[in-house]
Amino acid sequence: MFIAANWKMNLDKVSISKFCDDLYNYKFSSKVEACIFPSLPYMDYLNNLIKKLPISVGGQNCHYKSHGAFTGEVSPKFLRDTGCEYVIIGHSERRSINNESDNEIKLRAQSAIDTNLKVILCVGENLSHREKGYALKFVEQQLLKCLPNDFKNLLVAYEPVWSIGTGKIPNVSEINEMHDHIKKVVLKNTNKKVKVLYGGSVNVENIDSILNVINVDGVLVGGASLKVKDFLAIYSAAVKHLNNSI
Ligand code: PGA
């Protein structure tokens, strides 16, 4: 079970320090893995604050080159250097605001894999695909265009674009159907089994029903991960879910 906290462009130094104070009073479980994706300038700062805790840090994106004249970009090598274990690639905000294409996302994912980062590859349909009944087909095609040629450590995050930051989520059978489809598509095309996280408006109220979906292996949480109380409540729900399913 995996809990990813995507802080996006939120939480400054003071807020991060307060967030981490509360983490020290919490008893983490070895069964649930957690990774926080802070804003880049605070990577080292956060990593130092949580180095005694079983939480890793990750980058919100990386470039496909290891170095060069790419103003404003970050090298996968530098993420590794600052202690990152994971990197999110292909988030819908990068696709829509920064015009990252499927092909570019594939290059970024491959470069991250080659640098020994674990990749969380994001895919997801928009509302019109869903309403017209094309969601499975759209996500399948997006996935096939973005999957790196070779990988060991890769998770897929299913994040319907219409669900991100909106409070709306697909129903549990739609989530299960999509996750099952993603797993089958990856297995068929690469002979590899992948874990699939659900992302989009995950919060304290809906976490139990999402984790009960059979094909959900964890969650990628944005807004609700900014408050330490909610982050820990989501983490605790994952621990409880695992304990109940044993
Ligand atoms: P949200 O964001 O939880 O705020 O919807 C999720 C994401 O964008 O990864």
Side-chain angles (χ1 to χ4, degrees):
M1 188 61 71
F2 192 93
I3 310 292
N6 178 13
W7 284 354
K8 309 191 182 186
M9 202 172 72
N10 294 296
L11 299 193
D12 59 13
K13 208 169 187 175
V14 173
S15 325
I16 292 175
S17 161
K18 283 192 193 133
F19 190 103
C20 293
D21 283 348
D22 288 348
L23 296 182
Y24 271 94
N25 301 320
Y26 183 83
K27 207 168 170 307
F28 286 90
S29 156
S30 57
K31 293 180 202 150
V32 176
E33 202 181 338
C35 182
I36 299 178
F37 299 80
S39 199
L40 208 46
Y42 302 122
M43 195 62 75
D44 257 345
Y45 182 68
L46 174 67
N47 209 4
N48 272 324
L49 286 179
I50 61 174
K51 65 173 176 251
K52 294 207 178 95
L53 299 174
I55 303 178
S56 53
V57 293
Q60 297 176 10
N61 193 19
C62 72
H63 200 258
Y64 50 85
K65 293 278 192 185
S66 62
H67 60 274
F70 301 103
T71 302
E73 290 286 350
V74 62
S75 157
K77 206 163 163 274
F78 302 166
L79 289 183
R80 276 304 285 161
D81 240 8
T82 47
C84 285
E85 194 175 334
Y86 287 88
V87 63
I88 296 171
I89 302 283
H91 190 280
S92 70
E93 285 150 17
R94 297 292 312 176
R95 293 174 186 268
S96 64
I97 304 168
N98 301 80
N99 296 319
E100 286 182 17
S101 65
D102 289 331
N103 187 47
E104 192 175 341
I105 287 161
K106 178 178 177 153
L107 292 173
R108 286 175 187 251
Q110 188 68 61
S111 172
I113 295 280
D114 295 344
T115 316
N116 287 327
L117 286 162
K118 297 173 184 165
V119 166
I120 298 181
L121 177 63
C122 300
V123 290
E125 82 284 0
N126 64 33
L127 194 55
S128 88
H129 298 128
R130 170 67 60 190
E131 283 171 350
K132 289 181 188 147
Y134 298 153
L136 292 180
K137 194 77 211 146
F138 177 83
V139 168
E140 174 176 342
Q141 285 170 356
Q142 197 179 42
L143 191 57
L144 291 177
K145 285 186 208 151
C146 298
L147 265 182
N149 295 331
D150 191 25
F151 60 86
K152 238 198 272 154
N153 288 307
L154 181 132
L155 297 102
V156 175
Y158 168 52
E159 297 210 303
V161 178
W162 53 273
S163 173
I164 295 175
T166 60
K168 294 182 199 145
I169 62 166
N171 65 44
V172 290
S173 65
E174 287 168 334
I175 296 177
N176 198 40
E177 182 185 42
M178 183 63 84
H179 282 221
D180 180 54
H181 191 59
I182 289 171
K183 288 178 187 201
K184 285 185 177 143
V185 168
V186 176
L187 186 64
K188 187 168 163 227
N189 287 277
T190 67
N191 222 4
K192 292 187 168 85
K193 285 189 178 169
V194 279
K195 293 208 155 88
V196 183
L197 313 179
Y198 172 77
S201 294
V202 174
N203 60 34
V204 178
E205 281 78 44
N206 60 28
I207 184 68
D208 288 329
S209 57
I210 293 170
L211 293 178
N212 275 331
V213 176
I214 200 105
N215 278 305
V216 167
D217 302 305
V219 283
L220 174 50
V221 191
S225 73
L226 298 174
K227 288 192 194 130
V228 67
K229 200 164 152 268
D230 289 4
F231 170 72
L232 289 175
I234 288 169
Y235 184 95
S236 302
V239 176
K240 198 174 107 213
H241 174 81
L242 283 182
N243 288 338
N244 288 344
S245 51
I246 290 167

